[in-house]
Short mmCIF file of all heavy atoms in Angstrom, two decimals:
data_model
loop_
_atom_site.label_atom_id
_atom_site.label_comp_id
_atom_site.label_asym_id
_atom_site.label_seq_id
_atom_site.Cartn_x
_atom_site.Cartn_y
_atom_site.Cartn_z
N PRO A 32 4.15 10.36 1.65
CA PRO A 32 4.91 10.98 2.76
C PRO A 32 4.80 12.46 2.83
O PRO A 32 4.76 13.10 3.89
CB PRO A 32 6.36 10.54 2.55
CG PRO A 32 6.40 10.19 1.04
CD PRO A 32 5.07 9.72 0.75
N TYR A 48 -1.40 5.14 12.36
CA TYR A 48 -1.95 4.04 13.19
C TYR A 48 -3.19 3.45 12.47
O TYR A 48 -3.34 2.29 12.23
CB TYR A 48 -2.28 4.54 14.58
CG TYR A 48 -3.01 3.48 15.37
CD1 TYR A 48 -2.28 2.41 15.98
CD2 TYR A 48 -4.36 3.50 15.47
CE1 TYR A 48 -2.92 1.48 16.74
CE2 TYR A 48 -5.02 2.53 16.19
CZ TYR A 48 -4.40 1.46 16.83
OH TYR A 48 -5.04 0.53 17.57
N GLU A 61 -11.40 -8.02 5.05
CA GLU A 61 -12.49 -7.43 5.78
C GLU A 61 -12.79 -6.07 5.38
O GLU A 61 -12.60 -5.10 5.99
CB GLU A 61 -12.12 -7.51 7.31
CG GLU A 61 -11.86 -8.94 7.83
CD GLU A 61 -11.62 -8.94 9.33
OE1 GLU A 61 -12.43 -8.33 10.09
OE2 GLU A 61 -10.55 -9.54 9.75
N ALA A 65 -13.15 -2.32 7.23
CA ALA A 65 -12.16 -1.28 7.02
C ALA A 65 -12.67 0.05 6.62
O ALA A 65 -12.06 1.09 6.82
CB ALA A 65 -11.18 -1.83 5.99
N PRO A 67 -15.06 2.33 7.68
CA PRO A 67 -15.12 3.52 8.55
C PRO A 67 -13.68 3.99 8.95
O PRO A 67 -13.49 5.22 9.16
CB PRO A 67 -15.92 3.03 9.80
CG PRO A 67 -15.87 1.52 9.71
CD PRO A 67 -15.79 1.18 8.31
N PHE A 71 -12.20 7.69 8.26
CA PHE A 71 -11.60 8.43 9.25
C PHE A 71 -10.15 8.90 8.84
O PHE A 71 -9.78 10.04 9.15
CB PHE A 71 -11.52 7.68 10.58
CG PHE A 71 -10.91 8.43 11.72
CD1 PHE A 71 -11.56 9.52 12.26
CD2 PHE A 71 -9.72 8.05 12.37
CE1 PHE A 71 -11.03 10.25 13.30
CE2 PHE A 71 -9.17 8.73 13.34
CZ PHE A 71 -9.82 9.85 13.88
N ASP A 97 -19.95 10.10 -9.54
CA ASP A 97 -19.29 11.33 -9.38
C ASP A 97 -18.25 11.35 -8.28
O ASP A 97 -17.09 11.83 -8.51
CB ASP A 97 -20.27 12.46 -9.13
CG ASP A 97 -21.18 12.72 -10.41
OD1 ASP A 97 -20.79 12.36 -11.48
OD2 ASP A 97 -22.30 13.27 -10.16
N TRP A 115 -2.66 5.11 -11.42
CA TRP A 115 -3.13 5.49 -12.78
C TRP A 115 -4.22 4.57 -13.27
O TRP A 115 -5.08 4.95 -13.99
CB TRP A 115 -1.97 5.39 -13.78
CG TRP A 115 -1.29 4.02 -13.89
CD1 TRP A 115 -0.27 3.53 -13.16
CD2 TRP A 115 -1.71 2.94 -14.71
NE1 TRP A 115 -0.01 2.30 -13.53
CE2 TRP A 115 -0.83 1.87 -14.42
CE3 TRP A 115 -2.73 2.83 -15.71
CZ2 TRP A 115 -0.98 0.69 -15.14
CZ3 TRP A 115 -2.82 1.67 -16.34
CH2 TRP A 115 -1.90 0.54 -16.10
N GLU A 139 -0.32 8.13 -22.54
CA GLU A 139 0.85 8.36 -23.37
C GLU A 139 2.04 8.95 -22.66
O GLU A 139 3.18 8.46 -22.77
CB GLU A 139 0.52 9.25 -24.57
CG GLU A 139 -0.32 8.56 -25.61
CD GLU A 139 -0.81 9.55 -26.65
OE1 GLU A 139 -0.86 10.84 -26.41
OE2 GLU A 139 -1.33 9.09 -27.71
N LYS A 157 -5.47 -0.79 -25.81
CA LYS A 157 -6.98 -0.95 -25.80
C LYS A 157 -7.65 0.37 -26.07
O LYS A 157 -8.71 0.39 -26.66
CB LYS A 157 -7.39 -1.69 -24.52
CG LYS A 157 -6.97 -3.08 -24.39
CD LYS A 157 -7.41 -3.68 -23.10
CE LYS A 157 -6.99 -5.20 -23.00
NZ LYS A 157 -7.35 -5.79 -21.71
N ALA A 168 -2.20 1.86 -32.17
CA ALA A 168 -2.25 0.62 -31.50
C ALA A 168 -1.14 -0.35 -31.89
O ALA A 168 -0.53 -1.09 -31.11
CB ALA A 168 -3.62 -0.06 -31.60
N ILE A 178 8.80 -5.79 -24.40
CA ILE A 178 8.71 -6.26 -22.96
C ILE A 178 8.62 -7.78 -22.92
O ILE A 178 9.26 -8.38 -22.18
CB ILE A 178 7.44 -5.62 -22.35
CG1 ILE A 178 7.56 -4.11 -22.31
CG2 ILE A 178 7.25 -6.08 -20.90
CD1 ILE A 178 6.24 -3.36 -21.89
N GLY A 180 8.59 -9.91 -25.74
CA GLY A 180 9.13 -10.69 -26.87
C GLY A 180 8.07 -11.00 -27.90
O GLY A 180 6.82 -10.87 -27.60
N MET A 195 -8.21 -4.66 -39.35
CA MET A 195 -9.12 -3.53 -39.02
C MET A 195 -8.72 -2.31 -39.88
O MET A 195 -9.57 -1.46 -40.31
CB MET A 195 -8.96 -3.08 -37.54
CG MET A 195 -9.62 -4.08 -36.56
SD MET A 195 -9.23 -3.73 -34.87
CE MET A 195 -10.00 -5.06 -34.01
N LYS A 204 1.02 -11.11 -44.10
CA LYS A 204 2.40 -11.23 -43.78
C LYS A 204 2.60 -11.49 -42.28
O LYS A 204 3.54 -12.24 -41.92
CB LYS A 204 3.11 -9.84 -44.16
CG LYS A 204 3.32 -9.74 -45.59
CD LYS A 204 4.06 -8.39 -45.93
CE LYS A 204 4.37 -8.25 -47.37
NZ LYS A 204 5.07 -6.96 -47.65
N GLU A 207 1.95 -15.20 -41.83
CA GLU A 207 3.04 -15.93 -42.46
C GLU A 207 4.35 -15.82 -41.68
O GLU A 207 5.07 -16.87 -41.53
CB GLU A 207 3.29 -15.39 -43.92
CG GLU A 207 2.15 -15.79 -44.89
CD GLU A 207 2.28 -15.11 -46.21
OE1 GLU A 207 3.05 -14.04 -46.33
OE2 GLU A 207 1.72 -15.54 -47.18
N ILE A 212 8.11 -19.28 -37.72
CA ILE A 212 8.59 -19.69 -36.40
C ILE A 212 7.91 -20.91 -35.85
O ILE A 212 8.60 -21.79 -35.25
CB ILE A 212 8.39 -18.43 -35.38
CG1 ILE A 212 9.09 -17.27 -35.90
CG2 ILE A 212 8.86 -18.89 -34.01
CD1 ILE A 212 8.71 -15.99 -35.06
N ASP A 215 3.75 -25.56 -37.16
CA ASP A 215 2.75 -26.56 -36.72
C ASP A 215 1.63 -25.95 -35.91
O ASP A 215 0.79 -26.79 -35.30
CB ASP A 215 3.42 -27.74 -35.92
CG ASP A 215 4.44 -28.45 -36.82
OD1 ASP A 215 4.16 -28.59 -37.97
OD2 ASP A 215 5.44 -28.90 -36.20
N PHE A 219 -3.08 -20.83 -36.49
CA PHE A 219 -2.54 -19.87 -37.47
C PHE A 219 -2.54 -20.45 -38.88
O PHE A 219 -2.77 -19.66 -39.82
CB PHE A 219 -1.05 -19.56 -37.07
CG PHE A 219 -1.03 -18.46 -36.02
CD1 PHE A 219 -1.17 -18.69 -34.78
CD2 PHE A 219 -0.74 -17.10 -36.51
CE1 PHE A 219 -1.14 -17.67 -33.76
CE2 PHE A 219 -0.67 -16.10 -35.58
CZ PHE A 219 -0.87 -16.37 -34.21
N MET A 247 -2.22 -31.86 -40.67
CA MET A 247 -2.56 -31.84 -39.28
C MET A 247 -3.94 -32.34 -39.07
O MET A 247 -4.32 -32.82 -37.91
CB MET A 247 -2.43 -30.45 -38.66
CG MET A 247 -0.98 -30.03 -38.53
SD MET A 247 -0.84 -28.31 -37.83
CE MET A 247 -0.90 -27.38 -39.33
N PRO A 249 -6.08 -34.70 -41.30
CA PRO A 249 -6.21 -35.42 -42.55
C PRO A 249 -7.58 -35.83 -42.93
O PRO A 249 -7.84 -36.35 -44.01
CB PRO A 249 -5.29 -36.67 -42.35
CG PRO A 249 -5.12 -36.77 -40.84
CD PRO A 249 -5.24 -35.37 -40.33
N LEU A 258 -8.55 -28.27 -51.79
CA LEU A 258 -7.22 -28.55 -52.29
C LEU A 258 -7.32 -29.23 -53.66
O LEU A 258 -6.62 -28.85 -54.64
CB LEU A 258 -6.46 -29.54 -51.37
CG LEU A 258 -5.10 -30.06 -51.85
CD1 LEU A 258 -4.16 -28.88 -52.21
CD2 LEU A 258 -4.46 -31.00 -50.74
N LEU A 262 -5.89 -27.72 -57.27
CA LEU A 262 -4.98 -28.52 -58.03
C LEU A 262 -5.57 -28.62 -59.46
O LEU A 262 -4.87 -28.57 -60.45
CB LEU A 262 -4.79 -29.92 -57.45
CG LEU A 262 -3.97 -30.02 -56.18
CD1 LEU A 262 -4.10 -31.36 -55.58
CD2 LEU A 262 -2.47 -29.75 -56.48
N CYS A 263 -6.87 -28.74 -59.51
CA CYS A 263 -7.55 -28.85 -60.81
C CYS A 263 -7.46 -27.56 -61.60
O CYS A 263 -7.28 -27.57 -62.81
CB CYS A 263 -9.06 -29.27 -60.59
SG CYS A 263 -10.02 -29.37 -62.07
N MET A 281 -17.46 -39.71 -51.49
CA MET A 281 -17.81 -41.02 -50.80
C MET A 281 -18.38 -40.68 -49.47
O MET A 281 -19.24 -41.42 -48.96
CB MET A 281 -16.57 -41.89 -50.75
CG MET A 281 -16.12 -42.52 -52.07
SD MET A 281 -14.60 -43.42 -52.02
CE MET A 281 -15.08 -44.88 -50.97
N ILE A 325 -21.79 -24.27 -61.10
CA ILE A 325 -22.11 -25.67 -61.45
C ILE A 325 -22.76 -25.78 -62.76
O ILE A 325 -22.49 -26.62 -63.55
CB ILE A 325 -23.10 -26.27 -60.34
CG1 ILE A 325 -22.28 -26.41 -59.02
CG2 ILE A 325 -23.59 -27.66 -60.74
CD1 ILE A 325 -23.17 -26.87 -57.86
N LEU A 326 -23.72 -24.84 -63.04
CA LEU A 326 -24.41 -24.86 -64.36
C LEU A 326 -23.40 -24.52 -65.48
O LEU A 326 -23.50 -25.16 -66.60
CB LEU A 326 -25.50 -23.74 -64.32
CG LEU A 326 -26.75 -24.07 -63.61
CD1 LEU A 326 -27.73 -22.87 -63.55
CD2 LEU A 326 -27.55 -25.24 -64.27
N ALA A 332 -19.07 -28.80 -70.26
CA ALA A 332 -18.75 -30.21 -70.47
C ALA A 332 -19.78 -30.84 -71.43
O ALA A 332 -19.40 -31.64 -72.22
CB ALA A 332 -18.96 -30.93 -69.07
#
Side-chain angles (χ1 to χ4, degrees):
Y48 173 81
E61 297 185 50
F71 182 62
D97 292 337
W115 59 270
E139 286 173 340
K157 287 179 179 178
I178 298 169
M195 289 172 184
K204 283 182 180 178
E207 291 173 340
I212 300 169
D215 296 326
F219 274 80
M247 291 181 271
L258 174 55
L262 288 169
C263 179
M281 287 175 68
I325 295 175
L326 283 173

